[in-house]
Amino acid sequence: MTNSTQQPESIVIVGGGTAGWMCAAYLAAKWSKRYHITLIESAQIGTVGVGEGSTPFLKQFFAELGWQESDWMPACDATYKTGIEFSNWTSNERFKRYFHPFFSALDLDTAEHFFANCNQLRKGKNAAVRPEQFFSAATMAEAAVSPVSTSLGGDIDYAYHFDASKLAGCLRNFAVQQSVTHLTGNVLNVQCTNGHVTQLETDCSAPLTATLFIDCSGFRGLLMKQGLGQSLQSYQDCLFNDRAVAIPTPHNSPLQAITPQTRSEGLSCGWMWNIPLTSRIGNGYVYSSQFCSPEQAEAELRLRLNISDETP
Ligand SMILES: Cc1cc2nc3c(=O)[nH]c(=O)nc-3n(C[C@H](O)[C@H](O)[C@H](O)COP(=O)(O)OP(=O)(O)OC[C@H]3O[C@@H](n4cnc5c(N)ncnc54)[C@H](O)[C@@H]3O)c2cc1C
């Protein structure tokens, strides 16, 4: 949202969740010498705080920040992720378990065969289409080995699991070190002129003006909705899952193995995730409130994890 076509001289980011701090860190890494960047976040309005599994694009993001894995992985209890195992998502016995691999240069030849076979299957012919037979990521997940290698040729693409709150903290420290101004307070009013955000009134500072405002206020969509009157388009009629319950477990509990994959398992009213970190296992059940109460969802997840009601 710019208020002119000129290059911005100052940038204000509203929100200090994953989106806000990723944005601040990236802009600071690229532009902190040229532009004054401010991030304001509310102490009263919390962040979503979950979101422990990434795609391989996050690797590129860290490279843009100039981060090495040793700079952030130990601090965020992070582990490697070579793909996602989906189980119990279909009643089709052939695909009761499916591994979605991340692609790597090692797979160039075999991937060709995989896609050719998929086309054959679409035409009604029988063909081998299990990704784990064609992509090295599946083999790495099965063997529980790291995707980082100096001996294998080519780039191996992979992603990460991490503690989202700790990662937000690392990004915040980095951004502030790069001279991002961090304000803790609430944006009370969004002022607009001619369809552009011009000023934010807050309870912690003088009104904030900027040439570029970035809305990272999460579901509130403060600038987009309150300021510019935009509304979000609901997909509720086809995306049924609208609730989640998360129950992390320690490493000595069932489903404990640290393997470089996210596990996603179909349950009665949605699906559960199982994400291994170095400090704990992240588990959660994403479900539809049309078919399941919060109590039923928690009970089903606890049963699946084989843990009692008292276990946090
Ligand atoms: C159960 C679940 C599992 C998920 N799993 C994954 C996953 O594995 N991988 C993944 O990539 N994503 C995942 N996600 C999605 C991801 O967690 C969210 O997209 C992300 O956390 C949203 O971050 P955000 O910064 O946009 O918003 P939020 O975290 O909601 O942050 C909003 C920020 O805006 C601030 N704010 C709001 N109003 C004001 C105001 N008036 N004044 C000042 N500040 C204000 C708040 O204080 C807060 O800092 C998951 C989400 C859920 C619910």
Side-chain angles (χ1 to χ4, degrees), residues 15-19 42 45 47-48 50-53 185-187 216-218 220 222 244:
T18 315
S42 166
I45 304 167
T47 61
V48 170
V50 287
E52 302 176 318
N186 295 290
V187 173
C216 295
S217 61
R220 282 181 166 70
L222 196 71

Side-chain angles (χ1 to χ4, degrees), residues 11-294:
I11 299 171
V12 169
I13 300 164
V14 179
T18 315
W21 283 118
M22 283 182 79
C23 181
Y26 184 85
L27 294 179
K30 302 292 175 191
W31 279 355
S32 67
K33 301 270 185 301
R34 290 173 61 184
Y35 302 112
H36 184 246
I37 302 164
T38 300
L39 183 146
I40 179 168
E41 65 175 322
S42 166
Q44 285 79 39
I45 304 167
T47 61
V48 170
V50 287
E52 302 176 318
S54 82
T55 64
F57 291 114
L58 196 64
K59 205 167 145 223
Q60 294 166 25
F61 174 78
F62 289 136
E64 292 291 331
L65 298 187
W67 286 15
Q68 305 295 314
E69 290 178 344
S70 55
D71 293 334
W72 72 274
M73 283 187 76
C76 299
D77 308 339
T79 60
Y80 293 113
K81 171 177 173 182
T82 62
I84 308 170
E85 182 195 272
F86 293 92
S87 58
N88 208 24
W89 275 70
T90 169
S91 52
N92 181 337
E93 284 301 322
R94 192 175 173 194
F95 296 104
K96 211 71 178 146
R97 180 186 169 281
Y98 164 81
F99 184 82
H100 175 89
F102 295 142
F103 182 77
S104 82
L106 294 172
D107 306 323
L108 277 173
D109 291 336
T110 49
E112 291 283 321
H113 295 291
F114 173 74
F115 294 121
N117 285 5
C118 288
N119 279 332
Q120 292 298 314
L121 191 72
R122 267 186 221 116
K123 289 174 190 161
K125 296 182 181 153
N126 198 14
V129 290
R130 296 196 68 85
E132 49 268 58
Q133 295 172 314
F134 299 87
F135 295 91
S136 47
T139 313
M140 287 184 256
E142 185 93 16
V145 295
S146 152
V148 179
S149 168
T150 48
S151 57
L152 292 170
D155 280 337
I156 300 178
D157 221 353
Y158 58 85
Y160 305 102
H161 304 124
F162 47 81
D163 181 315
S165 302
K166 289 183 179 176
L167 182 58
C170 284
L171 290 166
R172 181 176 58 234
N173 292 343
F174 174 82
V176 170
Q177 275 165 17
Q178 304 287 318
S179 71
V180 168
T181 302
H182 180 199
L183 299 177
T184 304
N186 295 290
V187 173
L188 303 176
N189 192 28
V190 182
Q191 288 186 8
C192 298
T193 309
N194 297 331
H196 295 289
V197 177
T198 48
Q199 183 168 285
L200 306 179
E201 288 172 16
T202 82
D203 60 6
C204 66
S205 66
L208 297 174
T209 55
T211 1
L212 177 66
F213 292 93
I214 302 180
D215 190 346
C216 295
S217 61
F219 287 122
R220 282 181 166 70
L222 196 71
L223 309 190
M224 300 293 291
K225 290 195 228 167
Q226 185 186 318
L228 301 176
Q230 302 290 320
S231 58
L232 296 180
Q233 186 179 347
S234 173
Y235 285 89
Q236 210 168 7
D237 57 335
C238 52
L239 292 176
F240 303 120
N241 294 336
D242 56 356
R243 298 279 189 284
V245 52
I247 308 179
T249 48
H251 278 298
N252 60 2
S253 63
L255 290 180
Q256 62 182 344
I258 296 192
T259 54
Q261 63 181 348
T262 297
R263 289 200 185 85
S264 167
E265 182 179 327
L267 296 186
S268 70
C269 302
W271 59 277
M272 70 172 275
W273 76 83
N274 174 262
I275 293 183
L277 307 187
T278 57
S279 55
R280 61 175 164 80
I281 309 287
N283 310 287
Y285 183 8
V286 183
Y287 63 95
S288 166
S289 61
Q290 286 180 55
F291 301 100
C292 182
S293 70

Side-chain angles (χ1 to χ4, degrees), residues 1-8 196-197 210-212:
M1 274 160 268
T2 56
N3 64 7
S4 79
T5 52
Q6 295 167 347
Q7 289 282 309
H196 295 289
V197 177
T211 1
L212 177 66

